[in-house]
Amino acid sequence: MLYSVVVLISGYGSNLQSIIDNANDIGIKIDCVISNKKNAYGIERAKKNNIKTEIIENNKFESKFQFEQKLAEIINKIKPTLIILAGFMYILSAGFINQFKDKIINIHPSLLPKFKGLNTHKRALEAGEKIHGASVHFVTNQVDSGRIIMQKSIKIEKNDDFKTLAKKVLIEEHILYPLAIKKILKNL
Ligand code: GRF
């Protein structure tokens, strides 16, 4: 049996690609990719793989509530086991998150609880960290603070700048996210 998932994106979608490439091994079927940005390259990736896509632009709605209502409507038709955020650059409200308790997961480019929020690579370098990485966690009402499912760390080298670091972490993310999804599903 394959578990149904929905993936939410905003941009390049390299994590989405890794989930697509590993879908069989994870045991999932991606029933829809939803983007809140119309030019997200991830939408092309989904189409190339014959995955249903939806573009719902949050800035076209009068309120967060209305946008999230539309999002929930699409998701409720599918009833996925997991809602996977993969570079989804939008902060979901508590009202939305509570409707899908323990079903929403996210990947974040830092070793949480360190460096929640944006510009994580730059901040890790400025803080003089020796180790950096990525985390997959459940989404709760507090940004980047839900229970951690899995993490992957990398060593920061002396000559790393935030660009080289971002590249290294992203490569690890592509390995980490499929593993973390598999782990959650195994424990259901
Ligand atoms: C990744 O670094 C992820 O950790 C963060 O947003 C980025 C998305 O990259 N949440 P991509 O769109 O998957 O290539």
Side-chain angles (χ1 to χ4, degrees):
M1 181 200 114
L2 296 176
Y3 289 101
S4 167
V5 304
V6 167
V7 183
L8 271 53
I9 61 161
S10 299
Y12 188 55
S14 67
N15 277 291
L16 165 67
Q17 188 67 55
S18 155
I19 296 166
I20 293 174
D21 295 343
N22 290 287
N24 279 340
D25 177 56
I26 306 171
I28 53 168
K29 177 167 183 291
I30 305 170
D31 278 320
C32 191
V33 170
I34 307 175
S35 173
N36 69 330
K37 298 276 178 236
K38 72 166 184 260
N39 295 325
Y41 181 63
I43 288 293
E44 303 308 315
R45 296 180 190 271
K47 283 184 177 161
K48 273 186 203 148
N49 287 276
N50 300 316
I51 299 167
K52 187 174 179 285
T53 59
E54 294 275 359
I55 295 170
I56 328 167
E57 294 167 282
N58 53 292
N59 58 11
K60 297 273 162 72
F61 288 78
E62 275 181 16
S63 65
K64 245 177 123 70
F65 178 75
Q66 285 177 6
F67 165 67
E68 291 178 357
Q69 219 176 15
K70 179 74 192 164
L71 203 56
E73 190 185 300
I74 295 170
I75 294 171
N76 280 326
K77 276 189 197 141
I78 299 169
K79 299 200 184 352
T81 301
L82 286 178
I83 300 164
I84 300 172
L85 311 189
F88 185 56
M89 301 302 285
Y90 174 90
I91 297 180
L92 293 161
S93 70
F96 182 91
I97 293 166
N98 292 339
Q99 281 179 67
F100 300 102
K101 207 169 170 295
D102 296 332
K103 278 185 183 291
I104 314 176
I105 61 170
N106 182 42
I107 189 155
H108 182 76
S110 80
L111 292 175
L112 291 171
K114 284 185 173 174
F115 312 115
K116 296 172 184 177
L118 299 174
N119 303 319
T120 56
H121 311 302
K122 196 164 168 274
R123 286 158 59 210
L125 286 171
E126 281 167 5
E129 296 288 333
K130 301 267 182 292
I131 304 281
H132 187 44
S135 310
V136 176
H137 64 94
F138 284 102
V139 172
T140 60
N141 301 337
Q142 304 294 316
V143 175
D144 298 329
S145 300
R147 181 156 60 85
I148 291 167
I149 300 151
M150 257 179 137
Q151 292 182 309
K152 182 79 204 307
S153 56
I154 60 156
K155 236 178 101 191
I156 299 183
E157 306 290 348
K158 275 205 183 71
N159 55 359
D160 268 326
D161 58 29
F162 75 94
K163 282 189 183 156
T164 59
L165 203 51
K167 264 193 197 154
K168 287 182 193 174
V169 171
L170 197 57
I171 290 169
E172 297 304 328
E173 288 184 36
H174 299 157
I175 301 166
L176 179 67
Y177 218 174
L179 290 176
I181 297 166
K182 207 171 170 177
K183 182 179 169 190
I184 301 165
L185 296 174
K186 205 177 129 211
N187 291 331
L188 283 183

